[in-house]
Amino acid sequence: MKISSIFFSVSLLCLFFSMRSQAQNTKVLKRQGEKCYRKEQYRNAYPFFDQILKTDTANLNALYKRGVCNLHRFSKDQALKDLQHVYAIDSTYNKYLYFWLGRANHLNYNFEKAMHVYLSEYLTGFLQLDFLYELYLLPRHSYSTFQ
């Protein structure tokens, strides 16, 4: 009886310290990822945010930043999935979410969706009108290039 209670106590302590260690590890990963992200070293920041999401799938900040990093890593499809997921959870999460979501749609050749998102961005005052006009012309230039 006494041995089983000691074993149980030791197991609880190990579990407690492993959970605490994992939380500290997540903080370290976040700090390193944020450092690279602020320096616009998106390719270096990606593994940190990806690792955070493996342990905490509900971390909206890591999901958003992994999506932005994916755009700079040329993983356009994954970037679009990540940013759409953030948008579905909280469309007001970050003031640049619309821009990055429009950019991801744009790079995936979803020009109509990109224009819709960029127009929403313009209405909130973040984009300039001349930028929208250039985007409006882009699909026409792309289409005429292939013919």
Side-chain angles (χ1 to χ4, degrees):
M1 178 77 174
K2 187 171 182 161
I3 293 175
S4 65
S5 65
I6 291 173
F7 179 74
F8 182 71
S9 299
V10 170
S11 299
L12 281 177
L13 282 173
C14 289
L15 180 65
F16 172 74
F17 285 117
S18 69
M19 289 175 65
R20 185 174 176 200
S21 171
Q22 184 179 10
Q24 287 176 341
N25 187 30
T26 303
K27 287 180 183 178
V28 170
L29 288 172
K30 182 180 179 193
R31 186 171 45 246
Q32 291 173 332
E34 293 287 342
K35 183 178 177 183
C36 292
Y37 187 88
R38 280 192 304 271
K39 291 180 180 180
E40 296 180 6
Q41 297 172 343
Y42 299 112
R43 292 179 185 179
N44 295 338
Y46 172 80
F48 298 113
F49 296 122
D50 193 46
Q51 192 66 32
I52 291 169
L53 286 168
K54 286 180 182 175
T55 58
D56 182 12
T57 57
N59 191 325
L60 205 56
N61 182 49
L63 186 62
Y64 169 75
K65 291 187 176 172
R66 184 178 77 173
V68 173
C69 291
N70 273 323
L71 280 176
H72 292 87
R73 292 179 65 241
F74 306 110
S75 301
K76 303 174 288 192
D77 296 334
Q78 185 61 41
L80 184 59
K81 290 176 187 174
D82 288 346
L83 293 170
Q84 283 177 334
H85 190 70
V86 171
Y87 181 80
I89 293 172
D90 184 7
S91 64
T92 61
Y93 171 71
N94 187 297
K95 67 180 181 179
Y96 299 110
L97 176 62
Y98 283 102
F99 174 78
W100 290 118
L101 186 57
R103 182 79 175 139
N105 276 303
H106 189 170
L107 292 175
N108 281 297
Y109 301 105
N110 301 331
F111 295 117
E112 305 245 341
K113 289 180 183 177
M115 281 299 296
H116 177 72
V117 174
Y118 282 136
L119 187 57
S120 300
E121 183 85 7
Y122 170 72
L123 293 175
T124 59
F126 287 113
L127 289 182
Q128 303 294 326
L129 189 57
D130 56 341
F131 180 74
L132 281 177
Y133 181 69
E134 289 177 24
L135 287 173
Y136 175 74
L137 293 177
L138 185 65
R140 286 149 184 75
H141 291 295
S142 298
Y143 180 73
S144 64
T145 304
F146 292 117
Q147 286 188 351

